[in-house]
Amino acid sequence: MSKENPEATTKVPDDLLAKEHEELIPIADDALVAAYECLRDQDDAESQGPMGGDLNSHEPPGPADQDPPASPGRTYPNIRRLHGTPFEREKDRRETRAWAERCGGEMQEWYEVARTKPCTWWLENHLVARHSLDGCIACGVCTSLCPAAEYYEEYDPRVIIDTALSNDEARLVDLLKSETLWYCGQCGSCKPKCPRENNLMGLISSLRFLAQLKGYHLCSVRGRQQYAARHLWGGNLWNRACSLYFRNVDAESHADFGPRYAQYQSEVEPQMTRVGANPDTAGQFGGRKVPPETLEELRRCVAGGGTLALWNRLEEQALEEARRLGISIEEYFERVRSEG
Amino acid sequence: MRTTITAPAGEAASKEIPENDFFLTPSCVLGALNPGTEVLISRIYDLLGLRWTAAGNRPDSQCTCCTGIASHGDVMSMESTLLVVARLWSIAAQMGFENITTACVTSFAIHTECLEMYQHEPGLDKRVDRWLQEACGRRLQIPRHVVHASDIVYRYRQALGQEFMRYRLVEKRTGRPLRIVDHVGCHYAKVFPEKSVGGSDWCEVLTGMIRAWGGETVDYPERNHCCGMGFRQCMIRPNRGYTLACVLKKLESMEPWKPDAILTNCPGCNVFLDKEQWAAKELSGTTYDIPTLSYTELVGLLLGWDPYEVVGIQAHTVPVEPLLDKIGIAYDKSKEWFSRHG
Amino acid sequence: MAKKVCVIGGGVTGMQVANVLSTLGVPSVLVEKSPELGGHVPRLSRTFPFFNDDGFNDGREFTAALERDLRSTSLAKIHLNTVVTEVTGEFPNFRVQLSDRSSIDAGAVVVATGFEPFDPSSLKEYGYGVYPNVITALQLEWMLNPRGPTGGKLVRPSDGKEARRLGIVFCVGSRNRRIGAPFCSRICCSYSTKQASSVMEREPGAFVACFYMDVRTYDRGFEEMYALAQDRGVKYIRGRVSMCKQLPDGTIAVRAENTLINKPFWGEFDLVSLSTGMRPCKDVEQLAGTLGIGRGPDGFFLCREWFRHPHDATRDGVFIAGCANGMKPIRNCMIDGASVAARVTALLREVPMAA
């Protein structure tokens, strides 16, 4: 992260995508963002084909020859080069900080203030936490149905409810610093059977948000992963309007999916196109490139809900941690993503 | 000795499922890993002559994801989610559609959670309406129905089976009904069980389809167990052992019944129950090789649509061809891959 | 001639009311909707030995004794297979119409309609009605009765084999706000403990586990009964059962968390008995309308004054006794029946004789 630096240059190198993270730092915020957007929206205007973006022609494709299908409408070849890069992350850091400063908003302020209050205050006032919990009879139904409680020996979600109900600030802080807060897989198996109609899944979600705002997530391996999460899903959402990008799930980091998956991934674009999806092209289905107007509206909604308060906090804390460890922010990103 | 249990029906009829006019929201996971399955939703709607749209009936999509993954991955505030979803509803209303059908079950639970929040939190709707206007000039318009696309296929399962399908869930050679394990997404049946077909214990949405198309359902101890996708657990690599363990647990539990296939309605379940079978084999030494299909893929296959060009079975780790052989569906294996080796 | 009392319900409470009224010289008419007197008690196999060992070994022995007393007095008339269809008039001049075309001029009405066990088919997680080896406590009770379907042996309905592993699930249909039943049914911990204890007494090699949230064996002698059960080897596991699933051979796998050691687990049983909570009878709503009396949020009849006149319904001249007034054990039903009889008698004595 770099503050607006009076010495920042507005000159953007031609081989921007090849630059290391350190080389991006001197570039001014606006110039960096503009360069990104320009690259993102560059289309490959030469490829026009029969499978244009007309949504309403739905006859199943006829018998195909084994050549890859004709190119669909406009493709955007730079998205694959931009996604998940240090460039994109650096641009995101700058951009969301600028957005937060510019847009502010009621919820962003609320979260920034909430961060300074006790955990017990949060439980009474956070929209989700407020509706999550009534009394608990400690019957254990939630834990008995929880797959994570089965898998992680030391994990007992019923104890989380007990901690929340105890109204004990010290216990709550311990919980927010713990590994166990992050074991829940948000499946909701606990939810349909609670005899008091509590929402344990929602409570955990709410507590995780608070843990990050307060920086307690840094005390656990799983918690630190949230910095990676901010860029993985947050980055996809901010830049591609979708939490997952089809190239994120590459074969190399998904060896557990087996060799057939690797084969599929090696020809993922024609495979997606043949079934009617839109890899890096305009369209309605998988892999689609959305127009800037859609991204703009989405970002305004995300910002309007106060999420940037969280993302910027995560960045601040990550930078502090990186400095403390004597590594770059990008090295920190890689580290927290593969720890554990 | 295996026993097959016919689950009690009963609450199946209580969910109100609209019959037409659908605003379809796509899925992040399907789009990235199994894109054919959600295109198939649109093809099925067309086949049934239903009126539907995605966000923007033109090449450029106005659609965004519902923020479900980011929300359950704890990098999205509830208010941001409310706004993003409200924007989608506004687009639907603008296009004249009041029934939302989601391709993803997490989306279904997210949209439903928004609806519930407005019910339980007085004044929230006004605040969100104001924020939405400030953010992008749109108004909060609560849709009439929010359902999952599998609800629609459930609703039309008899019509599909009787009027359109060329094949049945029956072993062609012997006439034996195929044994299909139903795996319903947790976010479909458990988060708001009263909004599912049949509740969280004996959910009907997939078993109804299986029975309508000639198959047999399977009840086994870990039937209700989550597939283990777990959002941050599967997507951040060091955590993925949990996902694999959950998949393995289910496979071990269902194995005595020798299922012919697993049927899913959730994108995440579809991915992990299928793809982790390879790792499960490496780890446990047992080959399960149970073809795992989404309900739309199954519909496509039983309709006789091309398994590779339209249904996209090649996206699966567990080969689906053995199931096609059982049913008697012909296929041209040479169409599977584009490159010659594989 | 003293005014008659109409007693609705011929279970042990109704019979007790009629018997005590008879000893006090008050005539009564007992109206019972089923073909037999005694209510639920005839099918009970056993009560536990207590300070005085007059705990019965077959519920029918007890109800037969009550019935003998009843039929030996001319002051009590009995109508079986009959219900009350209409009540007109005011205290102390009610006119009660019955479904057998007869009518009663009654000075007071006592409601002793008892309860019904909750039907657990609606709680799909337990598999009741789907898995043969999941039964209810009342079915277990009848199975343990030598007059019952298996001659008192514990058997797996799925294959008729002996059941040596019994799981007892507490609080089925009770203490559950989610299903609209937040209340406790009071007697289930006790009857479950009694059942578990009985099984261990006959079969010391059996494995019996009770899955509880609390053990509310609160009444006199009940805590001792709990201790006795444990001495006999009944296992108590603190955790509410969340799910029952059937294994390939019909054995039932039960899922719960052992909350005292923070561990979820599966337990396997030949037979699982659901200790269901209780509800007021299905026709209680109609009866409340017919009698013009109120019910509480738990569905049982409401009394007008909680402490001073705990049997008075919300209408003059109508009284509630036994489980219709809230669940209670058999002994308390007997006490209740006697005290209502006294209350009604005293009230009727204050009324000038009708011309």
Side-chain angles (χ1 to χ4, degrees), chain B residues 108-312:
Chain B
F108 170 66
I110 289 279
H111 283 246
T112 307
E113 186 173 5
C114 294
L115 292 172
E116 296 274 304
M117 271 286 168
Y118 293 127
Q119 299 238 336
H120 293 139
E121 178 74 14
L124 181 65
D125 51 356
K126 296 208 174 23
R127 289 162 71 204
V128 172
D129 183 44
R130 179 166 47 83
W131 294 333
L132 193 63
Q133 286 182 71
E134 281 163 14
C136 52
R138 293 180 178 277
R139 304 301 301 269
L140 173 66
Q141 276 161 295
I142 312 274
R144 186 154 181 191
H145 288 110
V146 169
V147 296
H148 184 252
S150 62
D151 289 322
I152 309 303
V153 172
Y154 172 83
R155 194 201 159 117
Y156 286 102
R157 67 197 186 284
Q158 302 290 1
L160 284 166
Q162 285 155 22
E163 294 170 45
F164 296 101
M165 282 179 174
R166 291 170 50 191
Y167 302 96
R168 308 266 295 155
L169 280 172
V170 167
E171 186 172 39
K172 184 170 177 186
R173 194 175 49 84
T174 61
R176 170 182 75 84
L178 293 175
R179 264 185 310 276
I180 316 286
V181 159
D182 70 309
H183 179 86
V184 179
C186 291
H187 283 232
Y188 175 83
K190 294 176 185 173
V191 182
F192 298 104
E194 67 281 7
K195 301 283 200 295
S196 70
V197 176
S200 62
D201 302 295
W202 301 92
C203 187
E204 265 289 292
V205 73
L206 293 177
T207 51
M209 292 180 204
I210 294 166
R211 285 198 297 270
W213 303 332
E216 200 176 72
T217 63
V218 175
D219 181 55
Y220 63 104
E222 301 289 5
R223 185 179 185 184
N224 294 64
H225 198 285
C226 175
C227 72
M229 180 258 191
F231 301 92
R232 65 189 324 285
Q233 315 306 356
C234 70
M235 295 189 188
I236 297 177
R237 198 163 160 203
N239 306 341
R240 207 181 295 144
Y242 164 78
T243 307
L244 176 55
C246 290
V247 171
L248 192 52
K249 178 169 270 272
K250 289 190 69 87
L251 292 172
E252 283 171 352
S253 179
M254 69 176 74
E255 204 278 332
W257 279 265
K258 305 277 183 270
D260 296 297
I262 299 172
L263 189 64
T264 63
N265 69 342
C266 162
C269 303
N270 196 15
V271 166
F272 287 97
L273 287 172
D274 169 53
K275 291 175 170 42
E276 294 288 6
Q277 284 192 46
W278 185 84
K281 179 180 71 176
E282 296 290 300
L283 219 72
S284 71
T286 310
T287 301
Y288 292 98
D289 270 356
I290 307 173
T292 303
L293 290 173
S294 147
Y295 64 106
T296 55
E297 289 174 312
L298 184 61
V299 169
L301 291 170
L302 296 179
L303 286 169
W305 289 348
D306 191 302
Y308 302 109
E309 281 296 311
V310 180
V311 179

Side-chain angles (χ1 to χ4, degrees), chain A residues 61-66 69 271 273-276, chain B residues 43 306-314 335 338:
Chain A
D65 44 62
Q66 279 312 95
Q271 289 287 1
T273 307
R274 83 195 291 196
V275 293
Chain B
R43 298 194 200 282
D306 191 302
Y308 302 109
E309 281 296 311
V310 180
V311 179
I313 60 171
Q314 63 276 21
K335 290 163 79 167
F338 289 109

